[in-house]
Amino acid sequence: MRNIYEIKYLKRSATKYRNHVGVSFFVVLKGKAMIPVKDVSTFYEEGDTFIVKHNECYKLDVREGNIVVQIHFYKSLIETMVPELLCNHSHVTTQSEMIPLRNQLIYLCSLYLTQENDRNFKIMKQIIAILEIYKGQLHIDNEDSSNMYKDVNPIIEEIRNYIHEHYNERITINTFTNKYRLSESYFSKMFKEQLGVNFKDYLTDIRLLNSIYDLIHTCEKIIDISEKHGFYNVSAYIHAFKLYYGVTPKKYRNMIQNKHAQFERQNFFNEVDNERNLTLEEIKFYLRKFKQKYTKTLCIYA
């Protein structure tokens, strides 16, 4: 069942925002974590649960030595079982309301470690239970739901993923028209129909979005941030930023950092884009410890 879900234990952080495909549930098993979605950063404590929805742009920062478990349900599974989750929606935000969902997620993690003959059957039942609980907490925005159901052209999906991975490199519309042998007019029309925005604005938005993280959480110079995130000169960066956000990057940084204490970057791994794999014994240990502290009614398999 690896093609419909995945469980990962994260100890390190992503370097770039990613366009999320599918739905991911996260539980902080140990310590703290921070997740920036768009330009809003939220901190989570041990025992907290949070969710990244379909088509959200996000990063994940995990403090050194701390652990977050990610239970990711692939788009193919969501489309088959609960397609409403691919729509624009809101969900419960208080951690007390998330406890039933968190407990079921931890139980799924424990089931994954078993070697019983009916393991896959139990896992599938548990996945259904999780999706049903989450569905019951949703408020669907019907105004946008029709657009969210529309399938994205595989070429556009591939291009979007490429942009998120290589946004800081030199990318032009010809990068893709040449590769896919499309005319510029046809490509531009298809891109805007599929994503609701033209190619140039989408690329600029991703570059600005990634730059905001460094504006808020580092002391890097504006010129260095502009070059780091794909702008050919600092003037172009400042112009684009002011056009999108109404203020210059420097003023934006001052506004945010005056409201909140500067993020302690040195306490987080933000320079690598992978996680150190935990051993099976470590996973069992942390799940068992989490169960003892937060979910005493659940059975964590040894």
Side-chain angles (χ1 to χ4, degrees):
M1 288 194 286
R2 283 186 175 274
N3 60 330
I4 62 172
Y5 81 103
E6 184 177 8
I7 299 176
K8 299 175 70 176
Y9 295 85
L10 309 173
K11 298 190 72 172
R12 301 209 179 175
S13 308
T15 58
K16 301 174 183 177
Y17 276 89
R18 295 176 177 178
N19 183 66
H20 193 59
V21 178
V23 176
S24 280
F25 302 89
F26 297 83
V27 181
V28 184
L29 292 184
K30 178 188 176 187
K32 298 180 180 180
M34 184 189 75
I35 182 164
V37 176
K38 280 289 188 178
D39 57 345
V40 178
S41 297
T42 306
F43 284 88
Y44 293 95
E45 306 282 341
E46 183 176 294
D48 286 350
T49 304
F50 55 96
I51 300 162
V52 175
K53 299 180 290 184
H54 180 63
N55 273 344
E56 281 190 324
C57 293
Y58 83 106
K59 293 173 64 171
L60 178 66
D61 286 308
V62 182
R63 285 187 183 274
E64 181 180 1
N66 298 348
I67 301 171
V68 176
V69 59
Q70 176 184 10
I71 300 95
H72 178 68
F73 293 159
Y74 282 68
K75 182 182 177 183
S76 57
L77 172 69
I78 302 299
E79 283 178 326
T80 302
M81 300 187 65
V82 195
E84 298 96 315
L85 300 191
L86 299 180
C87 301
N88 187 23
H89 62 265
S90 58
H91 54 78
V92 294
T93 55
T94 64
Q95 288 301 318
S96 60
E97 292 177 295
M98 297 285 275
I99 288 175
L101 180 61
R102 180 198 68 187
N103 291 352
Q104 297 302 323
L105 291 166
I106 295 299
Y107 185 50
L108 175 62
C109 293
S110 71
L111 283 174
Y112 186 77
L113 299 179
T114 67
Q115 300 298 324
E116 298 178 6
N117 292 333
D118 60 348
R119 168 179 174 271
N120 287 344
F121 173 74
K122 287 183 177 179
I123 286 175
M124 201 64 223
K125 281 188 64 176
Q126 189 62 19
I127 288 174
I128 293 171
I130 290 168
L131 291 175
E132 285 299 317
I133 290 173
Y134 185 51
K135 179 183 176 182
Q137 298 172 338
L138 297 182
H139 171 70
I140 306 297
D141 187 346
N142 291 322
E143 184 177 343
D144 293 333
S145 62
S146 59
N147 291 330
M148 296 295 292
Y149 281 115
K150 183 173 66 175
D151 289 334
V152 176
N153 185 295
I155 292 178
I156 298 299
E157 186 71 34
E158 187 175 321
I159 290 170
R160 181 166 62 178
N161 291 335
Y162 183 90
I163 290 173
H164 280 267
E165 288 296 320
H166 303 277
Y167 73 91
N168 54 345
E169 300 172 10
R170 178 169 174 78
I171 298 177
T172 68
I173 195 169
N174 291 331
T175 303
F176 304 108
T177 55
N178 293 338
K179 179 179 179 179
Y180 297 103
R181 298 181 181 179
L182 301 172
S183 68
E184 287 191 21
S185 59
Y186 179 79
F187 173 84
S188 298
K189 181 181 178 182
M190 179 173 64
F191 193 95
K192 188 166 186 177
E193 285 179 350
Q194 291 280 301
L195 300 184
V197 64
N198 67 48
F199 169 79
K200 182 179 178 181
D201 287 345
Y202 187 86
L203 175 60
T204 300
D205 188 42
I206 297 303
R207 286 172 168 168
L208 291 173
L209 181 61
N210 279 277
S211 77
I212 281 177
Y213 183 91
D214 287 331
L215 281 175
I216 297 174
H217 302 307
T218 79
C219 296
E220 293 180 42
K221 295 179 180 179
I222 302 298
I223 188 171
D224 293 334
I225 291 175
S226 68
E227 292 176 358
K228 178 180 177 181
H229 295 287
F231 291 91
Y232 56 88
N233 63 54
V234 68
S235 297
Y237 173 58
I238 294 172
H239 176 76
F241 196 98
K242 190 171 183 179
L243 187 65
Y244 274 66
Y245 296 103
V247 294
T248 64
K250 182 178 180 180
K251 188 171 183 179
Y252 183 90
R253 167 182 268 173
N254 292 337
M255 287 167 52
I256 298 298
Q257 291 188 348
N258 286 339
K259 289 182 179 180
H260 306 285
Q262 187 175 351
F263 180 59
E264 296 181 6
R265 181 184 174 90
Q266 66 271 21
N267 290 331
F268 279 76
F269 284 108
N270 192 44
E271 304 303 328
V272 292
D273 196 18
N274 60 2
E275 64 278 349
R276 183 179 70 79
N277 292 331
L278 276 69
T279 67
L280 181 60
E281 291 306 314
E282 285 179 309
I283 291 172
K284 289 179 180 178
F285 171 80
Y286 288 116
L287 283 176
R288 187 180 293 109
K289 190 172 181 179
F290 189 90
K291 173 250 183 178
Q292 292 170 350
K293 189 172 183 179
Y294 297 103
T295 59
K296 294 181 179 180
T297 60
L298 291 179
C299 173
I300 303 299
Y301 291 83

